[in-house]
Amino acid sequence: MNRLRNCQKYALFLIYFGFQIGYASPSNSIAFESMLKVANEIGDASAQYVVGHMYATGQGTEKDIQKALIWFKKSANQGHTEAQLSLGKHYMHAKQNRRALFWLENAAEGKLAEAHYLIALMLLNNQGIKKNSQSILKRLLAAAELDY
């Protein structure tokens, strides 16, 4: 069973790498189906994030934000910081400030500079968080230290 998981993770890596170097077409539904299978069968957080991203952008499948959110949540609940950031950004744009802050703080704990920056923006704009100059500065410095 462990060997099967390793093989599936390697297949996931090859599919994802193919997208990164342009080897697999974004409209390739076979790549989407392969990634979806890995995300479902293994429950791998990275695969779940990629499936969410593919739904969000319409790569290899029809664009579906609700399905993207489902996959981002599965991934984020396993600690995938990019998925946490994606959820935070979605809820921020949807003006669901408490949910946005929850996911952005999780992503910031994972050392994502953009999450610190977005929290600072929420503080500046009084978006569900009481404005506090010291907290704004702290978040902006954290983002800068992480090369944002």
Side-chain angles (χ1 to χ4, degrees):
M1 183 66 170
N2 204 15
R3 186 171 181 191
L4 176 62
R5 280 185 184 263
N6 288 340
C7 288
Q8 288 173 324
K9 282 195 173 205
Y10 181 66
L12 167 67
F13 167 76
L14 291 176
I15 293 166
Y16 186 70
F17 183 70
F19 275 107
Q20 296 304 315
I21 63 170
Y23 204 64
S25 166
S27 62
N28 188 343
S29 62
I30 295 170
F32 171 77
E33 292 300 326
S34 299
M35 190 65 72
L36 184 62
K37 186 174 182 178
V38 172
N40 269 323
E41 291 180 8
I42 298 178
D44 181 80
S46 294
Q48 292 168 339
Y49 168 73
V50 171
V51 168
H53 179 74
M54 292 173 86
Y55 271 124
T57 59
Q59 291 182 325
T61 188
E62 206 163 307
K63 187 174 180 175
D64 188 327
I65 298 302
Q66 293 309 310
K67 287 183 180 176
L69 291 174
I70 289 167
W71 285 102
F72 284 149
K73 284 178 187 172
K74 287 181 181 189
S75 178
N77 285 330
Q78 292 189 64
H80 194 283
T81 54
E82 289 292 332
Q84 292 167 343
L85 179 65
S86 294
L87 287 169
K89 290 164 88 173
H90 169 79
Y91 289 124
M92 191 175 168
H93 292 293
K95 308 275 190 246
Q96 295 181 26
N97 296 328
R98 286 184 185 193
R99 286 183 177 178
L101 184 60
F102 174 81
W103 289 113
L104 290 173
E105 284 180 337
N106 277 282
E109 286 175 18
K111 305 289 187 221
L112 281 186
E114 187 176 0
H116 285 286
Y117 174 74
L118 292 173
I119 293 169
L121 282 182
M122 289 182 77
L123 284 161
L124 270 170
N125 297 321
N126 284 330
Q127 290 178 285
I129 313 169
K130 190 174 180 183
K131 198 174 205 172
N132 177 328
S133 298
Q134 197 170 12
S135 294
I136 294 169
L137 182 59
K138 176 185 163 190
R139 292 297 182 165
L140 290 174
L141 286 172
E145 286 174 5
L146 294 167
D147 296 326
Y148 190 75

